[in-house]
C-alpha cells in the first residue's frame, strides 16, 4: 500500500502561481509513476501531469508551458508547480501513485486539494 498526503492548494488570482506537494509513504519502492488528476464541478476528471520512475513527464495540452511536475526522491515527494493560473484551472487536484503488480496496475490516491482561481 502507498499513502499519499497532498498540500499546497488554495485561492489565487488569475496569473498567479501555486505549488502542490504530494508526499508518499509505505510501499514507495514499487511506484512506477506519480501524477495529478483534477476534476472541476460538472466536468470529467482530467489527467494533468505525470512523472515516471525514470523521470519522463507528460502533461495535458491545457497546462503545457504553465505547469511543471517534478520529484524529490529523498523526500518521496512529487510537486506540481502551477504558473499563470487561469480561471479554468479551478478544480480539486488529486495526487496518485501507480504500481504495477504482476502486470496489473494498482493506483493509490490522496484526499485531494482544492485549487481556486478567482479575481
Amino acid at each position: 500500500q502507498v499513502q499519499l498526503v497532498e498540500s499546497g492548494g488554495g485561492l489565487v488570482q488569475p496569473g498567479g502561481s501555486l505549488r502542490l506537494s504530494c508526499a508518499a509513504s509505505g510501499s514507495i519502492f514499487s511506484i512506477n509513476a506519480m501524477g495529478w488528476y483534477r476534476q472541476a464541478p460538472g466536468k470529467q476528471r482530467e489527467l494533468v501531469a505525470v512523472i515516471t520512475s525514470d523521470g519522463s513527464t507528460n502533461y495535458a495540452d491545457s497546462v503545457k508551458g504553465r505547469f511543471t511536475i517534478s520529484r524529490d526522491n529523498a523526500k518521496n515527494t512529487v510537486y506540481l508547480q502551477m504558473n499563470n493560473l487561469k480561471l479554468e484551472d479551478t478544480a480539486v487536484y488529486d495526487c496518485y501513485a501507480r504500481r504495477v503488480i504482476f502486470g496489473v496496475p494498482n493506483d493509490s490516491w490522496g484526499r485531494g486539494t482544492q485549487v481556486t482561481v478567482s479575481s
Side-chain angles (χ1 to χ4, degrees):
Q1 288 284 357
V2 174
Q3 293 78 45
L4 303 172
V5 178
E6 301 132 327
S7 61
L11 174 65
V12 64
Q13 292 184 339
S17 298
L18 282 175
R19 188 177 79 158
L20 305 183
S21 300
C22 177
S25 60
S27 301
I28 58 174
F29 61 89
S30 58
I31 293 176
N32 298 99
M34 291 183 69
W36 297 86
Y37 276 82
R38 69 184 180 185
Q39 187 164 22
K43 294 187 177 181
Q44 288 189 332
R45 177 181 280 186
E46 173 187 29
L47 177 62
V48 178
V50 60
I51 185 165
T52 63
S53 56
D54 65 0
S56 299
T57 59
N58 197 24
Y59 298 90
D61 288 342
S62 58
V63 307
K64 283 181 180 177
R66 300 188 297 122
F67 291 11
T68 303
I69 189 169
S70 62
R71 65 184 186 187
D72 184 333
N73 291 333
K75 295 182 178 180
N76 301 319
T77 299
V78 169
Y79 303 97
L80 185 67
Q81 178 67 43
M82 306 184 293
N83 297 328
N84 190 20
L85 283 160
K86 302 178 180 181
L87 296 175
E88 53 265 39
D89 294 319
T90 296
V92 174
Y93 285 70
D94 292 307
C95 176
Y96 82 99
R98 169 159 292 182
R99 299 181 295 161
V100 179
I101 303 172
F102 300 114
V104 179
N106 183 290
D107 293 344
S108 300
W109 295 89
R111 291 190 173 186
T113 185
Q114 177 70 45
V115 171
T116 302
V117 184
S118 176
S119 56

